[in-house]
Amino acid sequence: MFAKRERKYKSTPNRLGVKGWYGSLKYNMEKYLYLLHRITGVGLAAFVILHVILMSSRMFGEEAYHQIHGLLMNPYTDIGMVIVTAALLFHGFNGIRLLLHEYGILFVRPKRPVYPYRVSVKSSGVRLFTILMIILAVLFFIPVLYEYIIIWW
Amino acid sequence: MSILSYGGEIMKESYIRLIQYLLAAVIVVAIAFHLQLFSSLIGPGYIKAQTWEEVASRMDNPFYDGVYAVLLFTVLTHAFIGVRNVLFEFITSRVGRVVTSWTLFIIYVIILLLGIAEIVASAS
């Protein structure tokens, strides 16, 4: 399978493109986190651009702000904001994990994968820290849900 | 400029990654100040924070102008570097990467200027 892939991407070694995101998901949890980090990152980037454009209405005064704000006051926006906040929390906590891991803070630095491809993240408490980060993201999401439940109630 | 000219391939990619991580560290702190506004447990809450009175009071507050300025620069830069990284995974030609980098850079500058104009107008 890998030989076929190597031939296909011979001109660009080690670059499977977007296919590489899901092509080896069967290996470990970190691959799923990697995929989610990419998806949430692109989604959040789109949101940030939209957010800056819409919020710039503030500089045109109260009326302009109310016009834009009025357009956004609907249940669909609320659901969208819940998804954006969940994506933000995931991206943030996973980002902290990546930063600490990559620079060897708290844990050993990741190694280049060599045969027989033992996954270094399974040792040294790295996996435990990953799970802790996920739990923290979920815990931080509770007050967010609480806020939206108040609105919807 | 070499970052844009060479698509970051030759020698600058590790610096971009370092910048990306430094920006992320700043964002984690700055975004906490922004998001606490929308929690009624520690701030005004989602509904109240979006009323014009609250928005106007934040616009007059130099602290929030500073927070928004930091957030604008860090989040936008982080976002555009991230999108560039993702796009580079399936744009492999040199020309394609240069075009992608410049296109993103132009969009980045436009959005950044819009945000700066908004913050300056709010502060004045």
Side-chain angles (χ1 to χ4, degrees), chain A:
Chain A
M1 191 179 84
F2 288 113
K4 192 179 168 188
R5 210 179 253 179
E6 280 293 320
R7 278 200 301 277
K8 190 175 178 185
Y9 295 98
K10 201 175 178 183
S11 60
T12 55
N14 299 324
R15 267 194 212 103
L16 298 174
V18 177
K19 284 179 184 173
W21 291 13
Y22 56 85
S24 52
L25 280 182
K26 62 185 177 183
Y27 292 135
N28 54 43
M29 181 172 76
E30 283 71 20
K31 272 285 181 185
Y32 289 100
L33 296 179
Y34 169 83
L35 175 63
L36 266 176
H37 198 77
R38 294 283 162 129
I39 292 169
T40 53
V42 173
L44 288 169
F47 170 77
V48 162
I49 294 169
L50 197 67
H51 189 60
V52 172
I53 292 169
L54 292 176
M55 288 302 109
S56 64
S57 64
R58 290 195 313 176
M59 66 179 158
F60 299 111
E62 187 175 356
E63 201 176 321
Y65 176 77
H66 279 304
Q67 272 185 348
I68 296 291
H69 195 238
L71 287 174
L72 299 173
M73 290 299 278
N74 61 65
Y76 302 110
T77 310
D78 290 339
I79 292 166
M81 288 307 290
V82 171
I83 295 167
V84 165
T85 318
L88 180 71
L89 285 172
F90 169 79
H91 196 85
F93 279 103
N94 195 48
I96 292 169
R97 178 185 73 85
L98 288 173
L99 207 153
L100 294 177
H101 192 201
E102 187 144 336
Y103 285 95
I105 305 163
L106 297 179
F107 307 107
V108 290
R109 297 187 74 164
K111 293 171 189 157
R112 182 181 286 274
V114 287
Y115 185 80
Y117 308 115
R118 286 204 181 90
V119 183
S120 62
V121 291
K122 282 183 181 171
S123 59
S124 316
V126 178
R127 177 59 63 82
L128 195 68
F129 185 72
T130 304
I131 293 166
L132 179 71
M133 284 288 110
I134 295 169
I135 292 169
L136 276 176
V138 172
L139 284 178
F140 271 77
F141 190 58
I142 292 170
V144 176
L145 274 182
Y146 169 77
E147 205 60 37
Y148 287 104
I149 287 167
I150 291 173
I151 299 164
W152 292 331
W153 200 256

